Amino acid sequence: QKEVEQNSGPLSVPEGAIASLNCTYSDRVSQSFFWYRQYSGKSPELIMSIYSNGDKEDGRFTAQLNKASQYVSLLIRDSQPSDSATYLCAVPFSGGYNKLIFGAGTRLAVHP
Amino acid sequence: GAVVSQHPSWVICKSGTSVKIECRSLDFQATTMFWYRQFPKQSLMLMATSNEGSKATYEQGVEKDKFLINHASLTLSTLTVTSAHPEDSSFYICSASRPGLAIPYEQYFGPGTRLTVT
């Protein structure tokens, strides 16, 4: 089992809809979780961090964390074509070194 | 915010030459910096982790003698690709981790350097 798993997509949603991106992780002791957005040809950009169970909202983005089920999700409300990108889920590496383990990413396509 | 810069943003070099890429944290001191490589349509691949004043820790399969990393200060890390070959052509991205964060392990990425070896 991979440490961080994401559906590669593409996830296609119409403009204005809610996009739901999911991520599961294998390390039960993980405490913090991150969502990055990566546009084609660009570097990743941190969009959400979460460490408590439940929801965290920031503008149109909501991160949801369920540690018991070992999944974290990202909801994007009122999706816009500019949200079309690859979304990467990341979890701290349990072996230390402050490094993150990234999922392969889910490609989101928002069509007008 | 936390701003990380990289220089150059793109570079073309001839096979057999060496290329140095700089990564700077502009508005914070980075305890740890990371170097990633990404081939087209593929996932991020961590190459190495570096801490200021210490030797870098390389991921399995990454040649430390080919990819030289120097973390000279809390704001600067460099990656030198030695004796570059066409298969080293890739998108190299650095990131930096800032101490004292409410949520540790947050990494901030630089804009990346696109290397083409001819």
Side-chain angles (χ1 to χ4, degrees):
Chain A
Q1 182 188 3
K2 290 183 181 177
E3 294 181 74
V4 181
E5 293 206 55
Q6 295 182 256
N7 189 317
S8 61
L11 173 65
S12 183
V13 300
E15 185 174 356
I18 297 175
S20 178
L21 305 160
N22 298 313
C23 171
T24 58
Y25 59 93
S26 59
D27 185 356
R28 290 190 171 273
V29 300
S30 294
Q31 292 297 312
S32 49
F33 307 85
F34 308 92
W35 283 101
Y36 287 82
R37 177 177 62 198
Q38 186 175 24
Y39 290 114
S40 180
K42 303 294 186 181
S43 65
E45 172 193 10
L46 179 64
I47 54 172
M48 288 288 279
S49 304
I50 185 168
Y51 62 89
S52 299
N53 268 331
D55 296 359
K56 179 182 177 183
E57 189 174 314
D58 184 0
R60 295 187 296 112
F61 298 102
T62 299
Q64 298 177 319
L65 175 59
N66 184 320
K67 290 184 180 180
S69 300
Q70 294 177 240
Y71 83 77
V72 55
S73 61
L74 180 70
L75 301 179
I76 306 175
R77 289 182 301 281
D78 188 24
S79 295
Q80 301 296 310
S82 58
D83 295 324
S84 299
T86 297
Y87 290 80
L88 304 170
C89 172
V91 175
F93 173 62
S94 59
Y97 300 107
N98 293 329
K99 65 183 185 181
L100 296 175
I101 304 298
F102 284 86
T106 298
R107 190 157 60 91
L108 172 66
V110 181
H111 53 87
Chain B
V3 181
V4 178
S5 70
Q6 268 183 258
H7 178 80
S9 55
W10 59 270
V11 58
I12 300 173
C13 72
K14 291 188 176 180
S15 187
T17 62
S18 296
V19 173
K20 180 186 282 188
I21 302 169
E22 290 189 351
C23 176
R24 293 180 185 272
S25 55
L26 298 184
D27 55 358
F28 67 100
Q29 293 186 323
T31 47
T32 309
M33 288 184 165
F34 306 85
W35 287 96
Y36 295 83
R37 181 167 59 178
Q38 189 174 38
F39 293 105
K41 299 192 185 302
Q42 292 190 22
S43 306
L44 278 177
M45 189 195 84
L46 179 65
M47 299 175 68
T49 302
S50 74
N51 293 288
E52 183 263 340
S54 303
K55 287 185 178 180
T57 301
Y58 291 81
E59 295 298 301
Q60 193 170 11
V62 177
E63 300 174 59
K64 61 179 68 176
D65 293 330
K66 181 171 182 61
F67 299 99
L68 302 178
I69 292 172
N70 186 299
H71 195 153
S73 74
L74 285 172
T75 60
L76 173 65
S77 177
T78 60
L79 168 68
T80 301
V81 182
T82 62
S83 186
H85 291 284
E87 56 265 32
D88 298 322
S89 298
S90 188
F91 190 39
Y92 291 86
I93 316 170
C94 73
S95 70
S97 181
R98 188 175 61 179
L101 292 173
I103 301 181
Y105 302 105
E106 277 187 355
Q107 288 183 25
Y108 300 90
F109 283 85
T113 297
R114 199 162 300 280
L115 169 64
T116 302
V117 184
T118 61

